[in-house]
């Protein structure tokens, strides 16, 4: 009965004209806006009524969630979750990444998304952060309350106004109807950080650009008796901040684009709240709990002032019951149709294949899985998701809208190192989308140690079972003589010049949610120049070894590692089998004991398994890396040609930049343990150790032939210790590396950027 009387009380309350109305105004302030949750908690606990809410930017998000029928505790639970940090950081939720669309890792650290039209006009996409996860989360959380209110913000649990900005006309826009998720997404579109979305045909941006503390909107729209305004804006400097300018300059963009919040905007019969957020920046989303506490404490400090101006009280039980009554009007979250906007019928057919073609209605989880599978391809990272309510059918449509296309992408990267292995990376990507999605890609590395050109065209077919075809051509050049160590003067370089070429095609098929199988075949044409002596003089001529033939193989793999180098979370698994058939031709130089040109046909099969996995707990991650190779590969004509083309174990960042003879064998098992200590947010201390056990070491006879040593007790050690700073330009690493190898036993390496290379034709 109590609930019944409370509901009657709630129903009748608006009809009493003497009721004192309270309007709540929340400012923008990025992460600092999380403090608004603490304000809501304190007001509810002290029975202060909230009749209207007006918010901008993050204030619009928090206020909008409350108006949509979420309790302060529910909003707090969301912002304290791991998923919330993933949304705001542009990361995909755990379990929603789709490895099938993932390309091979390269050395890029900067991506420029461009739109290239038929007239070859280029438009630059200036957004910094990915908003895919955030957009979907808002659409998910707010679809039901928006449907209950029939897209009328006056019919929400609390009447709401959301402030956005029209930059073209340089005016504020007050949103009072339409999709609630669209309104909240629009109000926090910080220019240059997030792409804008269209609302009622207009591109809208962050409401804080023209009105970051919309007290005037609350007065004009709702005419409340009392306004409680909470300002969390960072822009509170009336004078130049001497002594702090060095620290603040990196955040100057936010100060430039946000309108200044003024305490004088609150009328004398209102209350102005400003939590103490000095220790926090606008990007401290990870400190949500402390921000909430700051808003809560400040509100309690001023509670006597609030109660002196707000005489009316609403018990927490009444608010909770009213919230339950509002939320009880939800309907089952079933999705009747997938509606696309901005696509032709062929493109629509391609997109809808990701959503269990032919099955309707869909569950929410089926739609979520399909959407994130679709947007795992870079071309679709401009899609905007929304749920629209079908009032007649009492279900939802899932709407996918195309924003300005990013069909041309330029990638920049590379590495600078204290060894002569530095290089520059450039990647060019072009997409064409109609019946299929075609991704043309050209990647280039250039440096004294390594040069490469990698051309490929991936064509995705979503019908008749999803798969892709990818013809490719790769040209690699390594000059190990140039890879000398600048710090260690006694470093002995390897005399080896390699040209590695392959032309072929791949067929990729998804397996389960996060695995794929790739079949590939390639024509191989390699050339190695090398000396058979440790000391090379200018009069020496090098052996010339050529390999020409083919390779066919299959690989089953997955990868959920959090970084493409120096990972600390996730796992990587790969299982492959390959057949090789090549003709070996050796033209001996004057360092060879072989007098004549020889030519032999070699064929073998090889199986390889690789597994890397991390276990994360607090500031410490531990993980293992194991690898095994089993093959029938025969020895080549001489030792150097054999060891160069034998499989190698490369567990550390610089392993591929050296010819580590003790870590190469036709058959081996190897593994080690990785310890990662997070000293600060982006700074890791890494301690790693490995053991390599060959089954038949490749050794050299006196006449330069290669033979297999079946000694079962031989094994080799490798270890590294170093600091890694994860920066916007890739890892900055300083390490001491040890290898159980006579030529390159101990080394010190400092590198900035990703130290990554394309695979060889025999890998």
């Amino acid at each position: 009965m109590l609930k019944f009387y409370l509901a009657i009380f709630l129903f009748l309350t608006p009809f009493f004209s003497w009721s004192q109305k309270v309007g709540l105004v929340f400012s923008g302030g990025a992460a600092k806006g999380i403090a608004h949750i603490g304000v809501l908690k304190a007001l509810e606990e002290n029975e202060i009524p909230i009749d209207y809410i007006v918010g901008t930017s993050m204030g619009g998000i928090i206020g909008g969630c409350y108006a949509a029928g979420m309790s302060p505790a529910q909003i707090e639970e969301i912002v304290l979750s791991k998923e919330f940090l993933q949304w705001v950081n542009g990361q995909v939720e755990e379990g929603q990444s789709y490895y099938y669309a993932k390309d091979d890792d390269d050395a890029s650290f900067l991506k420029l998304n461009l739109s290239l039209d038929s007239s070859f006009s280029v438009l630059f996409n200036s957004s910094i952060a990915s908003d895919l996860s955030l957009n979907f989360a808002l659409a998910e959380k707010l679809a039901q309350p928006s449907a209950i209110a029939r897209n009328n913000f006056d019919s929400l649990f609390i009447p709401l106004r959301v402030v956005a900005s029209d930059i073209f006309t340089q005016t504020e826009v007050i949103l009072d109807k339409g999709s609630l998720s669209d309104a909240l997404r629009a109000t926090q579109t910080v220019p240059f950080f997030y792409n804008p979305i269209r609302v009622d045909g207009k591109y809208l941006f962050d409401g804080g650009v023209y009105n970051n503390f919309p007290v005037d909107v609350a007065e004009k729209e709702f005419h409340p008796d009392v306004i409680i305004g909470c300002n969390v804006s960072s822009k509170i400097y009336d004078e130049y901040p001497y002594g702090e300018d060095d620290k603040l300059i990196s955040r100057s963009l936010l100060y430039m684009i946000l309108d200044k919040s003024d305490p004088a905007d609150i009328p004398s019969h209102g209350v102005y709240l400003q939590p103490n957020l000095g220790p926090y920046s606008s990007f401290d989303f990870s400190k949500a709990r402390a921000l909430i506490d700051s808003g809560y404490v400040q509100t309690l400090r001023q509670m006597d002032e609030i109660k002196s101006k707000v005489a009316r009280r609403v018990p927490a039980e009444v608010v909770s019951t009213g919230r339950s009554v509002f939320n009880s009007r939800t309907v089952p979250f079933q999705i009747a149709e997938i509606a696309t906007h901005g696509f032709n019928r062929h493109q629509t057919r391609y997109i809808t294949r990701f959503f269990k073609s032919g099955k309707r209605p869909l569950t929410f989880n089926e739609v979520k899985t399909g959407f994130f599978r679709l947007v795992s391809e870079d071309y679709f990272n401009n899609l905007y998701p929304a749920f629209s309510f079908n009032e007649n059918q009492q279900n939802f449509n899932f709407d996918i809208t195309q924003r300005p296309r990013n069909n041309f992408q330029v990638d920049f990267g590379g590495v600078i190192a204290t060894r002569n292995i530095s290089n520059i990376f450039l990647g060019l990507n072009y997409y064409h989308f109609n019946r299929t999605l075609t991704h043309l890609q050209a990647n280039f590395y250039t440096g004294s140690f390594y040069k490469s050109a990698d051309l490929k065209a991936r064509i995705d077919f979503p019908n008749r079972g999803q798969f892709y075809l990818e013809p490719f051509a790769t040209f690699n050049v390594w000059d190990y003589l140039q890879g000398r160590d600048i710090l260690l003067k006694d470093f002995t370089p390897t005399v080896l010049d390699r040209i590695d070429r392959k032309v072929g095609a791949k067929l990729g098929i998804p397996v389960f949610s996060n695995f794929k199988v790739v079949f590939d075949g390639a024509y191989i044409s390699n050339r190695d120049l090398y000396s058979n002596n440790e000391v090379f003089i200018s009069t020496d001529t090098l052996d010339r070894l050529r390999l020409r033939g083919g390779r066919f193989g299959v690989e089953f793999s997955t990868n959920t590692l959090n970084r493409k180098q120096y990972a600390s979370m996730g796992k990587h698994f790969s299982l492959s089998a390959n057949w090789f058939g090549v003709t070996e031709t050796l033209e001996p130089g004057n360092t060879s004991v072989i007098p004549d040109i020889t030519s032999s046909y070699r064929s073998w099969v090889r199986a390889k398994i690789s597994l890397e996995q991390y276990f994360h707990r607090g500031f410490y991650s531990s993980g293992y890396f194991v690898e095994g190779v089993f093959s029938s590969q025969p020895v080549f004509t001489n030792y150097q040609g054999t060891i160069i083309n034998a499989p190698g174990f490369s567990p550390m960042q610089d392993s591929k930049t050296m010819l580590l003879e003790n870590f190469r064998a036709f058959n081996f098992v190897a593994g080690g343990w990785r310890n990662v200590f997070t000293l600060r947010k982006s700074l890791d201390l890494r301690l790693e150790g490995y053991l390599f056990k060959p089954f038949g070491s490749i050794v050299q006879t006196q006449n330069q032939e290669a033979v297999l040593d079946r000694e079962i007790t031989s094994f080799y050690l490798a270890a590294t210790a170093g600091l890694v700073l994860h920066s916007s330009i890739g890892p900055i690493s300083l390490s001491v590396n040890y290898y159980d190898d006579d030529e390159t036993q101990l080394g010190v390496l400092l590198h900035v950027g990703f130290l990554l290379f394309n695979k060889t034709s025999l890998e």
Side-chain angles (χ1 to χ4, degrees):
M1 285 297 286
L2 176 61
K3 287 189 176 182
F4 174 77
Y5 289 123
L6 287 173
I8 295 295
F9 175 78
L10 253 181
F11 177 76
L12 294 177
T13 295
F15 295 96
F16 294 110
S17 59
W18 48 264
S19 262
Q20 190 181 36
K21 299 298 183 181
V22 178
L24 194 58
V25 177
F26 284 161
S27 80
K32 294 186 178 185
I34 294 173
H36 294 313
I37 301 172
V39 176
L40 291 170
K41 287 176 64 177
L43 293 177
E44 272 206 8
E45 288 175 5
N46 286 272
E47 302 184 349
I48 304 299
I50 301 171
D51 299 293
Y52 313 108
I53 297 180
V54 177
T56 191
S57 195
M58 184 56 80
I61 297 282
I62 302 301
C65 288
Y66 186 80
M70 297 183 197
S71 69
Q74 288 174 315
I75 305 172
E76 180 178 24
E77 182 181 1
I78 290 172
V79 301
L80 293 178
S81 68
K82 177 176 62 176
E83 290 77 16
F84 178 76
L85 283 178
Q86 292 169 334
W87 301 338
V88 297
N89 290 326
Q91 300 169 348
V92 176
E93 287 182 31
E94 187 175 333
Q96 294 299 332
S97 59
Y98 194 40
Y99 177 62
Y100 169 74
K102 182 178 173 62
D103 205 351
D104 294 334
D105 290 333
D106 56 45
S108 64
F109 56 74
L110 175 64
K111 297 181 183 292
L112 297 181
N113 291 315
L114 307 171
S115 296
L116 184 66
D117 61 22
S118 57
S119 63
F120 295 99
S121 298
V122 176
L123 297 176
F124 174 61
N125 180 355
S126 59
S127 66
I128 296 173
S130 170
D131 60 358
L132 284 171
S133 294
L134 177 63
N135 293 343
F136 191 88
L138 288 173
E140 170 194 353
K141 302 295 183 185
L142 301 172
Q144 292 277 18
S146 193
I148 293 171
R150 300 300 187 264
N151 290 336
N152 181 353
F153 294 179
D154 285 333
S155 299
L156 291 166
F157 173 61
I158 303 293
L160 172 73
R161 295 294 182 269
V162 178
V163 180
S165 299
D166 179 354
I167 287 184
F168 290 106
T169 61
Q170 298 184 355
T171 56
E172 72 176 15
V173 177
I174 301 170
L175 300 173
D176 60 1
K177 62 180 183 301
S179 167
L180 182 57
S181 62
D182 286 356
L184 300 194
R185 172 59 180 80
T187 189
Q188 57 90 55
T189 305
V190 179
F192 309 113
F193 283 84
Y194 290 124
N195 280 322
I197 67 166
R198 286 187 188 271
V199 178
D200 293 333
K202 297 179 180 179
Y203 280 118
L204 298 184
F205 287 85
D206 194 302
V209 174
Y210 298 119
N211 194 348
N212 198 45
F213 194 35
V215 175
D216 59 328
V217 175
E219 292 180 314
K220 180 175 62 177
E221 292 287 316
F222 296 123
H223 310 289
D225 300 297
V226 179
I227 289 179
I228 301 174
C230 181
N231 172 43
V232 297
S233 174
S234 299
K235 188 177 179 183
I236 55 174
Y237 297 97
D238 294 318
E239 298 180 358
Y240 190 87
Y242 291 104
E244 297 183 83
D245 49 0
D246 287 337
K247 181 173 63 175
L248 297 170
I249 190 65
S250 62
R251 308 168 194 162
S252 59
L253 179 62
L254 279 179
Y255 303 138
M256 179 181 70
I257 63 177
L258 292 183
D259 180 54
K260 186 174 182 180
S261 301
D262 189 351
D265 291 339
I266 294 289
S268 58
H269 55 277
V271 180
Y272 178 78
L273 303 174
Q274 181 151 356
N276 179 17
L277 304 177
Y280 310 106
S281 79
S282 298
F283 304 99
D284 280 337
F285 290 97
S286 61
K287 298 178 181 178
R289 190 178 297 278
L291 291 165
I292 293 170
D293 289 344
S294 297
Y296 182 79
V297 168
Q298 185 61 40
T299 308
L300 290 182
R301 284 198 188 106
Q302 296 181 241
M303 189 53 64
D304 288 342
E305 178 189 0
I306 295 172
K307 288 183 175 180
S308 70
K309 295 182 177 180
V310 181
R312 179 169 147 245
R313 300 288 180 268
V314 177
E317 294 84 358
V318 173
V319 176
S320 179
T321 300
R323 187 179 289 123
S324 298
V325 170
F326 177 83
N327 289 322
S328 68
R329 295 158 57 193
T330 59
V331 298
F333 208 164
Q334 291 187 327
I335 292 83
E337 295 295 337
I338 306 298
T340 63
H341 307 275
F343 299 97
N344 64 36
R345 61 186 180 89
H346 300 303
Q347 294 169 332
T348 296
R349 186 179 298 117
Y350 181 101
I351 290 171
T352 54
R353 290 280 183 176
F354 286 84
F355 299 91
K356 292 198 172 184
S357 180
K359 180 183 182 299
R360 297 294 184 272
L362 296 168
T363 66
F364 169 77
N365 285 332
E366 289 171 340
V367 168
K368 185 173 185 177
T369 298
F371 177 74
F372 280 103
R373 285 188 176 187
L374 175 64
V375 300
S376 61
E377 170 56 64
D378 280 348
Y379 177 77
F380 294 114
N381 63 15
N382 65 329
L383 299 184
Y384 182 75
F387 292 96
S388 56
F389 183 61
N390 300 316
E391 190 167 350
N392 292 332
Q393 301 176 22
Q394 293 292 294
N395 56 24
F396 294 84
N397 286 344
F398 182 60
D399 299 290
I400 301 175
T401 302
Q402 177 176 246
R403 292 182 287 180
R405 292 178 298 172
N406 300 325
N407 59 355
F408 187 59
Q409 178 180 295
V410 183
D411 301 334
F412 300 95
V415 65
I416 300 174
T418 52
R419 285 177 53 201
N420 199 20
I421 53 177
S422 304
N423 61 58
I424 298 173
F425 173 83
L426 172 67
L428 303 175
N429 302 268
Y430 178 76
Y431 295 88
H432 179 263
F433 179 43
N434 196 28
R435 295 176 185 270
T436 61
L437 177 64
T438 302
H439 177 193
L440 304 178
Q441 189 173 10
N443 293 336
F444 303 96
Y445 291 84
T446 180
S448 56
F449 168 71
Y450 178 66
K451 299 177 180 66
S452 178
D454 185 29
L455 309 176
K456 48 192 174 184
R458 172 168 165 160
I459 308 169
D460 276 272
F461 301 85
N463 51 341
R464 298 184 182 278
Q466 190 177 6
F467 67 95
Y468 70 80
L469 291 175
E470 184 180 82
F472 62 84
T474 306
F475 180 81
N476 295 315
V477 178
W478 285 271
D479 187 350
Y480 284 78
L481 184 61
Q482 298 296 327
R484 59 188 181 277
D485 198 311
I486 298 173
L487 295 179
L488 300 179
K489 300 304 180 183
D490 59 347
F491 179 82
T492 304
T494 301
V495 181
L496 173 60
D497 187 319
R498 307 202 71 183
I499 293 179
D500 178 275
R501 290 165 291 209
K502 57 184 177 181
V503 178
K506 296 179 180 180
L507 170 65
I509 302 171
V511 180
F512 307 119
S513 61
N514 212 27
F515 290 84
K516 68 178 175 181
V517 173
V518 176
F519 300 89
D520 76 342
Y523 172 75
I524 299 169
S525 178
N526 297 347
R527 187 229 65 192
D528 293 322
L529 297 177
Y530 54 85
S531 172
N532 294 284
N533 297 333
E534 292 184 3
V535 179
F536 177 72
I537 60 178
S538 59
T539 57
D540 286 345
T541 58
L542 303 178
D543 284 17
R544 181 185 297 267
L545 176 67
R546 295 184 181 275
L547 296 180
R548 290 191 176 93
R551 184 199 76 208
F552 298 95
V554 59
E555 181 181 30
F556 177 71
S557 62
T558 186
N559 189 342
T560 62
L561 297 177
N562 61 329
R563 302 186 184 102
K564 54 186 174 182
Q565 195 168 20
Y566 300 112
S568 60
M569 289 187 286
K571 69 178 179 180
H572 169 262
F573 171 78
S574 172
L575 176 63
S576 63
N578 283 274
W579 173 87
F580 300 87
V582 299
T583 299
E584 173 207 359
T585 302
L586 176 65
E587 300 176 21
N590 64 3
T591 66
S592 175
V593 298
I594 300 173
D596 302 316
I597 298 174
T598 62
S599 183
S600 303
Y601 177 75
R602 318 282 189 188
S603 66
W604 67 94
V605 293
R606 177 192 298 164
K608 180 178 180 180
I609 185 170
S610 180
L611 180 59
E612 177 181 2
Q613 186 171 11
Y614 294 90
F615 307 94
H616 182 73
R617 189 177 183 87
F619 69 94
Y620 173 63
S621 289
S622 63
Y624 60 86
F625 175 59
V626 295
E627 198 165 85
V629 172
F630 308 94
S631 78
S632 61
Q633 184 172 347
V635 297
F636 286 6
T637 303
N638 62 12
Y639 171 78
Q640 282 299 114
T642 301
I643 202 73
I644 289 168
N645 291 286
F649 179 54
S650 303
M652 283 142 53
Q653 68 273 33
D654 66 339
S655 299
K656 289 183 177 292
T657 67
M658 297 175 287
L659 184 65
L660 301 167
E661 297 183 17
N662 287 344
F663 291 83
R664 288 175 173 262
F666 296 148
N667 296 275
F668 67 81
V669 292
W673 200 258
R674 295 173 171 176
N675 300 278
V676 185
F677 302 88
T678 302
L679 305 181
R680 299 190 66 180
K681 182 178 179 180
S682 300
L683 180 64
D684 293 341
L685 169 65
R686 299 182 71 96
L687 303 174
E688 307 173 16
Y690 304 93
L691 184 146
F692 176 81
K693 174 64 182 118
F695 298 106
S697 299
I698 303 171
V699 297
Q700 182 174 202
T701 66
Q702 290 184 346
N703 61 355
Q704 299 177 350
E705 291 181 342
V707 296
L708 299 181
D709 183 356
R710 301 297 182 180
E711 171 60 51
I712 64 173
T713 61
S714 61
F715 61 88
Y716 303 93
L717 301 175
T720 181
L723 294 171
V724 181
L725 177 66
H726 302 282
S727 73
S728 59
I729 58 173
I732 302 174
S733 170
L734 175 63
S735 61
V736 178
N737 305 316
Y738 169 81
Y739 294 99
D740 203 349
D741 188 271
D742 295 336
E743 300 296 331
T744 54
Q745 191 172 63
L746 191 65
V748 178
L749 178 66
L750 171 65
H751 76 86
V752 180
F754 293 102
L755 193 55
L756 297 170
F757 310 99
N758 290 323
K759 291 181 179 180
T760 69
S761 59
L762 298 183
E763 286 185 306

